[in-house]
Amino acid sequence: MITEKGREIKEKLFDTFDYSYSVSTHTIDSFEEFMEQIYYPFAKKEKIYYRGERINSKKRFLIPSLLRNGGCFRAESQTDVTYLNRETLFAFYTKQSNFINVFKTVNGNLSENSMYEMLAFAQHYLKLSPFIDFTKSLYVALSFALKGREAFHDDIVLYTVVDVDDDDTSDDIEEVNGWINHYNVAVVDTERNAFLKSALTENMLLHPGSLLKDKSQRIHKPQPVKIGDIINQMYPQAKLIDIPTNDLMKYQQGVFLLLNNFTLISSRYLTKSVRQSFILKKYVISKSVCPELNDLIMAEAPHYRYEYLLDISKAVK
């Protein structure tokens, strides 16, 4: 039975964990609503970044490919918490011999202090990186959501993000490599630790440092603190990276969202501090509107049809 304190913590989790990674969810039920809420700001060239999802599902969390489904690191971890930083990322990718051989052929030697190009290469060709794909083009995001389909059985999703005052967006590779140098993420495996899993719904006690993101910060003889106190220290930082690394990324007008300094618990993480730096919105677009969105792309940006997004030669022809 959940205690009163436990209910308070659970309410706090619902408030601070963002299950669909949205500040607020907006429903689009007509083409007119789409034009008013999404298209016109894009047409006015407002600085907005977009991401399309083919289906609206609570199981589809907006997290980096590297950390989806518990993350590829979790299987290698012998503890309930796996710590990721620049060094562990570099070690992980250098173990992927085929990937590294191809990367060196294309880009030359690796550097642990200059990892952006390697991580971008991994996002494109290994499909595993700490980045999340966004784009400057509404047409591109819509095409990835529509997937070239003619019939739609589910609503689609469009995320938009605006960097407040542009403080957290960069096209400077030295600055971006500096962000990566300070990459600091903890992945908590609640399935391995029944106590920790229970603590997320009860006001149970945890040792400070049991969820600390840096092992060096752990206390050898800690005093117990409440899980709610630890929750308050798990806020991530978000950065937008606007440095295309190949022709396809340039064609798709792609950018990367980098989440840092956070704790991932069961595919979820706190987002309030992200929302303080970025205006994030999630639009759930009715399946009934999708055929008109296909027509919009064909009329205004036929070169961004889904079948052309991954093959520039088709778009050229």
Side-chain angles (χ1 to χ4, degrees), residues 120 169 201 255-256:
T169 300
T201 53
V255 299
F256 293 132

Side-chain angles (χ1 to χ4, degrees), residues 89-106:
L89 286 179
F90 189 79
F92 170 78
Y93 287 111
T94 53
K95 288 180 182 178
Q96 318 300 317
S97 58
N98 290 340
F99 165 75
I100 289 300
N101 288 338
V102 174
F103 175 82
K104 287 182 176 179
T105 300
V106 175

Side-chain angles (χ1 to χ4, degrees), residues 173-199:
I173 195 166
E174 291 187 7
E175 182 177 27
V176 169
N177 277 316
W179 293 343
I180 296 170
N181 285 344
H182 293 92
Y183 189 71
N184 187 32
V185 172
V187 180
V188 179
D189 190 347
T190 56
E191 295 304 319
R192 288 186 179 179
N193 191 323
F195 171 76
L196 180 59
K197 186 176 182 180
S198 178

